[in-house]
Amino acid sequence: MPSRVTAAALGAAILLGASAPAYAATDPGGAPPVVQFSTARGDAPVLRPGMHRTAPPTGRTERYAAITRPQGGAVTVAIFGSVDAAITTADGKNTCSSSGASLSNDVTGYTFVYVDPAHSERQTYQPDECASATDLILRIRSDDSSSSSSSSAAATGPLQVAVTVEPKLAAAGSPSPKDQQNKIAAPSTSTPAAERAVSDRLAAPTSLEPGSYRVSLTPGRLAVARVRVGWGQRLAASVDAPRNGSNFAPSESLDVALAAFSPQWAPVGGGDGSALLFKEESTERTASVYTAPVNRGNSKVDYDTAGDVGTSRAQWTTVAGWYYVVVRVSATQQDQQPTTRSLPARLNLAVVGTPTAGPTYVGADGTAAAAPAATQLSQGGTSDSASGAATALRIGGSVFVVAAAAAVVAFLRRRA
């Protein structure tokens, strides 16, 4: 039985003094290496933690890569591109996690699969063979829904594959208290006079510090940014549109949708995340999201211990590093192509809380082990200088659909 995630669903060292976290994200820089997946499990190349590029599978041909999982550890794989994906045991007989991506018009898919330690609240069932396996196989094949969208970027460009591997924990700790998972806001503050250009590529987000930024949003195209969040801290984000003082009114009604993702690219944003802009009306509206505190113990959040963020989203706010904010503007009518060329907006980012130490890990012999390298748990994507070599995952159409661990979730869905 495949696992499910639903979505009703820090530089090399951050200067934090004595309270420096045990783990901090770095920007890996450079274009991801190219890995040629094999057509036979026995020849599968090993995918190490980090970002990779590979050619998409064609037809119904299955392609394979191997992942080594520490005993008692965790593995996540996020794929930018429309494929069916699964993590299996080395012999292919047991499926540990599976997911399929869906397309609408020319929308690029996203797939997320993972294997957690045994008895995890995030993965309440997994075959015994998966719970104990250290040698795993990532299997990909063409997504059924992509066959009718040959023009999709996912069908012609390379896939981007983000792999994270977490060693066994000495102890996960307790979840964050419910009142620390409740709503927080990213307030609008003074903004620079110049607008900030924001990437429209999931694989090459724009790095931003907490603060407010003047931005222009293009209907039918994403705006993708990332910000560092440490252990014990929370992220809040909001988008104000049309930006006050811009004297702008859209020529048609528009949806503004906002979502937040973890360093592994799992959905983590609570809140409404949506704002409706009315045709020829200049009143500023706000879409907002927020996360739980970054705490490895949040993987044990259940219905009784979840706050406003929600169970499945709090369960993945468990790793310090790059957190991603994705904004999408679309026409309110599904069959309508937006004519508004640019929407003046304000993007607000807030990182709240005092950084704390991260969890401790143990090796195969049960003795204390060093914290993982930054790139092992947090995928920063490609740097701005290398973004030209990244897959241009440009989003068109009317719906952006996320498939997360066998559950297809519309994290930036239209709000009628």
Side-chain angles (χ1 to χ4, degrees):
M1 174 180 177
S3 59
R4 290 179 177 268
V5 169
T6 60
L10 235 191
I14 297 180
L15 302 180
L16 299 173
S19 61
Y23 164 75
T26 59
D27 187 339
V34 176
V35 177
Q36 183 63 48
F37 281 41
S38 69
T39 56
R41 289 186 185 86
D43 298 328
V46 176
L47 287 184
R48 304 195 183 281
M51 294 287 294
H52 308 272
R53 288 179 293 162
T54 192
T58 57
R60 298 304 294 172
T61 301
E62 294 184 345
R63 295 189 179 275
Y64 306 96
I67 300 174
T68 301
R69 171 201 186 198
Q71 185 68 49
V75 168
T76 72
V77 180
I79 303 174
F80 302 111
S82 295
V83 294
D84 283 336
I87 297 177
T88 73
T89 51
D91 58 11
K93 295 181 179 179
N94 298 278
T95 298
C96 309
S97 180
S98 65
S99 180
S102 296
L103 292 178
S104 176
N105 299 327
D106 289 336
V107 179
T108 304
Y110 159 81
T111 305
F112 184 75
V113 288
Y114 69 99
V115 181
D116 237 14
H119 310 300
S120 164
E121 292 293 336
R122 294 190 303 206
Q123 191 171 30
T124 54
Y125 172 81
Q126 58 177 296
D128 291 341
E129 293 81 359
C130 293
S132 59
T134 55
D135 295 324
L136 299 168
I137 291 290
L138 172 64
R139 183 191 71 213
I140 61 173
R141 63 188 179 195
S142 296
D143 185 82
D144 288 334
S145 60
S146 65
S147 59
S148 60
S149 287
S150 58
S151 62
S152 167
T156 57
L159 304 174
Q160 297 271 356
V161 182
V163 178
T164 66
V165 176
E166 184 177 21
K168 183 178 180 180
L169 291 158
S174 301
S176 299
K178 290 179 68 172
D179 60 359
Q180 294 182 22
Q181 302 176 46
N182 290 337
K183 182 177 180 178
I184 57 173
S188 300
T189 60
S190 60
T191 56
E195 288 190 346
R196 179 62 184 264
V198 179
S199 171
D200 63 351
R201 290 170 288 189
L202 291 171
T206 299
S207 301
L208 296 176
E209 297 290 333
S212 294
Y213 301 86
R214 296 187 183 202
V215 296
S216 289
L217 303 176
T218 302
R221 188 173 289 182
L222 295 184
V224 188
R226 63 181 183 179
V227 62
R228 292 186 178 108
V229 184
W231 297 108
Q233 294 185 308
R234 304 180 65 183
L235 171 66
S238 62
V239 173
D240 306 318
R243 188 175 61 240
N244 58 4
S246 63
N247 296 318
F248 180 89
S251 56
E252 72 271 270
S253 294
L254 298 171
D255 284 326
V256 177
L258 178 65
F261 293 84
S262 76
Q264 309 103 315
W265 278 100
V268 292
D272 182 32
S274 182
L276 176 61
L277 311 185
F278 293 100
K279 178 180 179 179
E280 299 179 353
E281 184 178 305
S282 60
T283 302
E284 184 181 76
R285 310 284 181 179
T286 299
S288 60
V289 295
Y290 52 91
T291 73
V294 178
N295 172 13
R296 190 57 182 83
N298 286 344
S299 62
K300 298 188 288 187
V301 167
D302 55 23
Y303 180 81
D304 292 328
T305 57
D308 293 345
V309 172
T311 304
S312 62
R313 287 160 288 181
Q315 285 177 345
W316 283 99
T317 315
T318 55
V319 173
W322 290 113
Y323 276 69
Y324 305 94
V325 175
V326 183
V327 187
R328 170 158 166 65
V329 180
S330 60
T332 57
Q333 300 299 318
Q334 187 169 358
D335 58 351
Q336 176 185 347
Q337 292 298 321
T339 58
T340 300
R341 292 188 177 181
S342 182
L343 174 66
R346 183 185 297 103
L347 175 62
N348 310 298
L349 301 171
V351 176
V352 178
T354 302
T356 62
T360 56
Y361 299 89
V362 295
D365 59 357
T367 59
T375 53
Q376 188 162 319
L377 289 179
S378 179
Q379 302 311 316
T382 49
S383 66
D384 294 339
S385 62
S387 61
T391 304
L393 298 179
R394 300 183 185 276
I395 307 300
S398 58
V399 183
F400 179 41
V401 181
V402 170
V408 178
V409 292
F411 77 90
L412 293 181
R413 60 180 180 245
R414 237 179 95 267
R415 297 293 180 91

